[in-house]
Amino acid sequence: MDNNKNYITPEGLAKLKAEYHALMHVERPKLVEVVAWAASNGDRSENADYQYGKRRLREIDRRVHFLTKRIEDAELVDPKQMKGTTVLFSATVTLVNEEGDEVVYQIVGEDEFDPKVGKISWKSPVARALLGKKIGR
């Protein structure tokens, strides 16, 4: 796998797009209205609504820029299209430890990992150890 690629599952890409949409089409327009209203009230140096609004707009713009780049660079990998016995990106793997306890992981993209629900980044040490392995090995 190419370390420079942004591999992602359809579910992960949908989440990035949903966050982008919420920021650009819901939160940002409301915030622009608040900032415009606050600016119209006069002295901006002591206007908390204006100062907070401008700061939050910069945060939103940075996040939107980041999301745009990640979405543009996304290399979509659909787990439903993956077949076989070799562990590849988007695979769901069940590991059994020495005590016989099972742990289930899905190997996902950097933007969608969530260890609490068993989703690990394909760049993590555990995923790196699993990629390319066959069932039972």
Side-chain angles (χ1 to χ4, degrees), residues 83-115:
K83 305 229 184 307
T85 58
T86 303
V87 177
L88 302 170
F89 177 87
S90 78
T92 299
V93 180
T94 303
L95 302 175
V96 180
N97 66 16
E98 294 169 352
E99 289 82 39
D101 300 328
E102 289 187 353
V103 181
V104 178
Y105 294 117
Q106 181 183 14
I107 301 172
V108 297
E110 294 176 278
D111 298 314
E112 54 187 326
F113 78 93
D114 185 355

Side-chain angles (χ1 to χ4, degrees), residues 66-79:
F66 173 80
L67 291 170
T68 300
K69 185 84 174 116
R70 296 303 285 177
I71 291 168
E72 286 173 359
D73 294 344
E75 189 79 29
L76 192 62
V77 179
D78 190 349

Side-chain angles (χ1 to χ4, degrees), residues 7 10 12-13 16 32 36 60 63 65-66 69 72 75 80 91-92 96 98 102 104 114 117-118 123 136-137:
Y7 296 105
L13 185 59
L16 289 182
V32 167
I60 288 172
R63 183 67 181 167
H65 177 73
F66 173 80
K69 185 84 174 116
E72 286 173 359
E75 189 79 29
K80 295 175 185 157
T92 299
V96 180
E98 294 169 352
E102 289 187 353
V104 178
D114 185 355
V117 295
K123 290 187 174 183
R137 296 184 179 216

